[in-house]
Amino acid sequence: MTASVDRASIGLRSPRGPILGALMLATGLIAIDATILATAVPSIVRDLGSYQQFPWLFSVYLLAQAVSVPIYSRFADTVGRKPIILLGIALFLLGSILCGFAWSMPALIVFRIIQGLGAGAVAPMAMTIVGDIYTVAERAKVQGYIASVWAISSVVGPALGGIFAQLDAWRWIFWVNIPLCLIAAWMLQLKYKEQKQTERHRIDYAGAVLLTVGLTGLILGMLEGGNAWAWISVQSALCFGIGIVALALFAMVERRVAEPIVDLRLAARPLILTTTLVSLGVGALMIGVTSFAPAYLEGSLGIAPLLSGLAVAALTLGWPIAAANVGRLYLRIGFRRTTLIGMSIASVAAIVLASVSSWPNPWVLSLIAFVLGFGLGWSAAPTLIAAQSSVGWGERGAVTGMNAFARSAGSAVGVAVFGAISNAAIAQGAGPDDPDTIIHASVWVFVAVAVTALLTLLAAAFMPKDKVEDHSGEPAS
């Protein structure tokens, strides 16, 4: 098959169209959730209290997503993709219902864990199914359909979040997921008939536990250090000590088990290692802006949640616009060069954001966020497809899971680091109700975002050079 693909052969009216439509709707669940919550954070804090705890709403969700992705990916290579994605939708539905009834910030944080466990199945399984049924050249076109979901969600999500926040009805942020979950599950059950391989796999439960304990210890230490307890204290020492020891044991276990939850042997391949590092940075960059920009604008300028959502909408709109067109670019110049261009754009935008954030302006921030999102859109898709294309069916679930795990782990650790920076600056200032303090804290957060962007660009520079002629062909078996 040549790189030239007839769009009619892969569109929604094609034989695979109903499956693509179901995957788009399932992706919409995660896309909406990625944008709708951030604009309502100040409203939730006013209702439930605990400003210092709001980063937990993102970090526990992302932590649950990160540690569950590799487990789901291993099960998907055993029982198939369909049962796993349906399980994920069910958990996401349950978590959404419970979040809507949350009576306190700790309760909402706990229910976000259930949502995260669902998202950990939905997002990577949708990407894996696309990798199963479309060639690399076809995926360059399919990416436009998937990107359209994120484009629509980037506008609808912040707008709905802002409207619900202004109406003091933030619980509908979660209840709006109910019909989407039901329709997505029904479509997948009806339309997707997979032919799975029957090879049996063993699940690395010890690795899953150690990874969960390790990441939880580090995130707990970063978010609560200097807040619930002093940085130099017994509590901090325990959190960081347990986290580091657990992750060290995790690395030892993964080298010995037959089928590790995160296959470090895959990471020994230069392409897999570098694309994983880029995904790690992309996750941190995404959460650094979407989680903190609304609170920065509302806290410094006192603007309405709907207007502060423009920054989130701009970033998540720039991403799918780039992703929808990036296929033509990497088919022409290769995965590595495309990723380098994307991360260069994102790095410049992040540096500009850090430079101008002392003077809050929603329109300037929205423009910068759009450019940043555009750069990330030109980086995320090529790295994922490059990794998927380097393996066969039996490893594709694990490789896709590693990529999704890296992005979720990057977001989880990123929001913890950025939250620790923000909380430290607020603690040294006049508190979360003082506009100058919020500006000062946000400046340091955006400086950290810029540093992260430069490190991610460095990782992209080490991606192996690829041949353009290898980017078309049938899906690996």
Side-chain angles (χ1 to χ4, degrees), residues 230-245:
W231 282 108
I232 302 177
S233 63
V234 174
Q235 294 93 327
S236 287
L238 283 174
C239 287
F240 288 112
I242 291 173
I244 293 171
V245 170

Side-chain angles (χ1 to χ4, degrees), residues 421-445:
I421 293 171
S422 176
N423 286 339
I426 289 173
Q428 294 175 359
D433 295 325
D434 177 56
D436 291 335
T437 299
I438 293 295
I439 293 173
H440 177 68
S442 299
V443 167
W444 282 109
V445 168

